[in-house]
């Protein structure tokens, strides 16, 4: 009876073309009136010693991450009147300026899509076991912390 | 001899400090015991903030372990 | 001294490819950490007499709309710490399932982008003189109302 | 004779009811006068909710008009 657990992980960056195609797939769903999208992009933060973040290398506790993502997904569908929900997160190396997180919600009226998208982003960052290792310009590394 | 085997999985900074991310420990019956054994083996963990999940569920107090349990050591998440 | 007034209007639907390209253009801006996007899509609403919305035909008081959009744009940049802001709205006919509104905000941390995007969508719908005429399956028309 | 000319622009449902969206009115000096003249000419407007903008600024009370002013008749907006 359990619903199939979806894979949320993508190897490497999430391409803008993939996002465009994902949007295009919804044109047959003519009950949708609004889409809300959040994209996380790797920022070239300045670090100590004049170093800069060149890339982030993501790793995860895969089995737990997928279970948790599934739980978040089910709870969000329960809470908001959504037509669609898609979550994609990068694994492995993502260069500065590239996209590492793509959250996409759709609903008849705009409010559920917007509220669900915001809540998903917060929950993904807090509750899914993913770690980002920042690769600096001098090749040193630093474990990212979320604020 | 106590043969109860616990599977340890480590991630992020913890795996980096331990220089391993997957090994077994024997003779342990709860998560406090695992924590003590790990701090004995890897003293550098003392200063690192991490949570523990047993069979993919986060725990917030000492939890007893069955043989074959998977105990994961999870530094603060930083996805997104 | 006045900043140039940008055109927000696109003839016909906004294509998913355009949205993908618009996202791709931001990969050089490595100070950005988050993008928030809202898309409005034409909904095939059921109407009286078993009719359905086939398309919406948008018209506008162009000069006033562009001035108002400019004012909203300036006020939003003033209020939120944004790296980028883009607003596109369709003019003319947009079929059901096609996209008629594209609001895109970017910032270093996610909160300003998300809050600005939500506020922009509300203000665009309330304050910009645009009208949607729904074209029904029997070719009759109905002036759309925003809730 | 009073030659002050006011440019009228109509949109959406209002333009549809008037069957025109752009014409001039003469001899009017404020927005209340414009509203009265229009209701005389187009009685069907009586039941329609619309706002007035003078030279692209929404007004919420009677406003005096200079010659050449553009008075726009705006039904409720429904963009997005």
């Amino acid at each position: 009876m359990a619903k199939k657990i979806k894979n949320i992980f993508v190897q490497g960056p999430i391409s803008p073309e993939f996002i465009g195609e994902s949007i295009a797939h919804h044109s047959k769903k003519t009950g949708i009136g609004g889409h809300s999208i959040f994209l996380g992009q790797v920022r070239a933060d300045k670090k100590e010693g004049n170093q800069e973040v060149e890339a982030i290398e993501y790793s995860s506790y895969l089995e737990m991450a997928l279970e948790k993502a599934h739980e978040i997904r089910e709870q969000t569908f329960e809470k908001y009147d959504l037509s669609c929900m898609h979550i994609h997160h990068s694994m492995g190396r993502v260069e500065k300026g590239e996209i590492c997180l793509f959250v996409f919600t759709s609903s008849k009226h705009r409010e559920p899509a917007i509220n669900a998208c915001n809540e998903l982003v917060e929950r993904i960052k807090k509750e899914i076991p993913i770690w980002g290792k920042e690769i600096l310009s001098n090749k040193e590394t630093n474990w990212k912390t979320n604020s | 001899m106590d043969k109860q085997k616990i599977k340890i999985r480590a991630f992020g900074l913890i795996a980096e400090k331990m220089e391993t991310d997957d090994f077994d420990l024997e003779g342990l019956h709860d998560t406090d015991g695992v924590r003590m054994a790990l701090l004995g083996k890897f003293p550098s963990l003392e200063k690192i903030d991490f949570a523990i999940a047993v069979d993919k569920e986060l725990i917030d107090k000492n939890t007893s372990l069955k043989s074959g349990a998977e105990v994961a050591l999870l530094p603060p998440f930083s996805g997104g």
Side-chain angles (χ1 to χ4, degrees), chain B residues 13-19 38-50:
Chain B
L13 178 59
I14 304 281
E16 193 175 277
K17 289 287 179 194
M18 289 182 168
E19 297 179 338
L38 289 168
L39 289 177
K41 235 174 129 158
F42 306 99
S44 66
L45 293 191
E46 190 105 40
K47 287 176 192 151
I48 302 176
D49 174 29
F50 64 93

Side-chain angles (χ1 to χ4, degrees), chain A residues 64-121:
Chain A
M64 182 178 165
L66 295 183
E67 274 190 17
K68 193 71 202 172
H70 181 74
E71 182 188 314
I72 291 172
R73 189 181 160 77
E74 296 292 299
Q75 288 170 353
T76 307
F77 263 124
E78 192 81 20
K79 182 167 174 185
Y80 298 100
D81 189 13
L82 298 178
S83 312
C84 290
M85 181 194 317
H86 305 278
I87 298 170
H88 304 277
H89 196 295
S90 293
M91 276 296 111
R93 186 173 169 120
V94 181
E95 304 296 324
K96 63 184 177 188
E98 291 182 329
I99 290 163
C100 57
L101 173 62
F102 172 26
V103 179
F104 184 10
T105 52
S106 311
S107 52
K108 184 173 182 193
H109 299 285
R110 67 188 176 284
E111 293 81 3
I114 290 172
N115 294 335
C117 187
N118 296 347
E119 190 172 307
L120 283 170
V121 173

Side-chain angles (χ1 to χ4, degrees), chain A residues 58 60-61 63-64 67 89 100-101 125-133 143-144 146, chain B residues 9 11-13 16 53 55-58 70-80:
Chain A
Y58 289 100
S60 162
Y61 181 8
E63 307 91 311
M64 182 178 165
E67 274 190 17
H89 196 295
C100 57
L101 173 62
K125 286 178 172 257
K126 277 203 198 75
E127 301 177 36
I128 300 191
I130 298 172
W131 297 274
K133 185 165 70 174
W143 289 94
K144 178 173 177 270
N146 278 358
Chain B
R9 296 192 61 185
F11 295 91
L13 178 59
E16 193 175 277
D55 292 331
K56 295 173 272 173
E57 290 290 337
L58 285 175
E70 179 169 289
V71 175
L73 315 175
L74 311 173
F77 305 160
S78 57

